[in-house]
Amino acid sequence: MTQASKPWRQLEWLSEDTLLLSFDDPLTPATAAMLASLVENLQRTQPAWLWDLTPGFGKLLVHYRPNLIHSAALEHALAEALAAPVDSLNSNTDPALEIPVCYDARVAPDLEQVAVQTGLSIEAVIALHCSVEYRVLAVGFALGFAYLGTLPDGLRLPR
């Protein structure tokens, strides 16, 4: 398998039984879907060499049994699992959740600053923020903390 044909940006061997796959642009729903597809396919097929998976934000930590698979075969197996179709991810049956948002200045102290930095009125910032459906791209370190994407271009600001 050539570097150009690998579906991940980087593969890093962390130990004799652990590798980290990093994918391009973790802020896109396409990357989140790719990771979810890979995890679902591996969990469904339960290969003997697989010990554990830890998905992250644009990354996947793979713990495996090195006595059951050679590194080159492992890379190939991961690429095949990623390429395999996953019906449940394409069915889009997950219900949308409506998250209430309060834009009152007492609980949104940065709202005025966002309006100034974007050149929009506060009302326009609120309207733009409410105008899109956000997807959960990853679940974070705190229970239930979700990384949502993709923010409308007009609201993107440097940290």
Side-chain angles (χ1 to χ4, degrees):
M1 179 181 317
T2 66
Q3 182 62 35
S5 67
K6 292 180 183 175
W8 45 79
R9 177 178 39 84
Q10 180 181 6
L11 183 148
E12 183 179 358
W13 299 94
L14 302 181
S15 71
E16 67 277 358
D17 65 353
T18 308
L19 64 88
L20 180 65
L21 296 176
S22 299
F23 293 85
D24 287 327
D25 202 358
L27 296 175
T28 64
T31 299
M34 188 183 318
L35 275 167
S37 173
L38 177 54
V39 168
E40 185 169 324
N41 278 330
L42 290 170
Q43 288 175 337
R44 181 177 39 80
T45 59
Q46 291 287 311
W49 52 262
L50 182 61
W51 179 36
D52 193 26
L53 298 169
T54 307
F57 197 51
K59 298 178 184 282
L60 179 64
L61 191 65
V62 180
H63 298 276
Y64 69 99
R65 295 177 176 91
N67 59 318
L68 298 180
I69 192 166
H70 185 270
S71 60
L74 176 59
E75 288 186 53
H76 183 72
L78 290 170
E80 282 189 342
L82 187 55
V86 179
D87 293 335
S88 66
L89 291 174
N90 297 326
S91 66
N92 201 16
T93 58
D94 291 335
L97 298 176
E98 188 168 323
I99 301 172
V101 179
C102 181
Y103 296 101
D104 187 284
R106 293 173 292 180
V107 293
D110 61 343
L111 183 57
E112 188 173 343
Q113 183 180 0
V114 169
V116 169
Q117 286 183 285
T118 59
L120 300 170
S121 67
I122 289 176
E123 294 76 19
V125 168
I126 293 170
L128 189 54
H129 186 253
C130 293
S131 70
V132 297
E133 187 172 290
Y134 298 91
R135 272 193 106 90
V136 175
L137 301 180
V139 178
F141 60 91
L143 184 61
F145 185 86
Y147 289 92
L148 302 179
T150 300
L151 192 65
D153 288 340
L155 294 178
R156 292 185 187 192
L157 296 171
R159 287 186 168 258

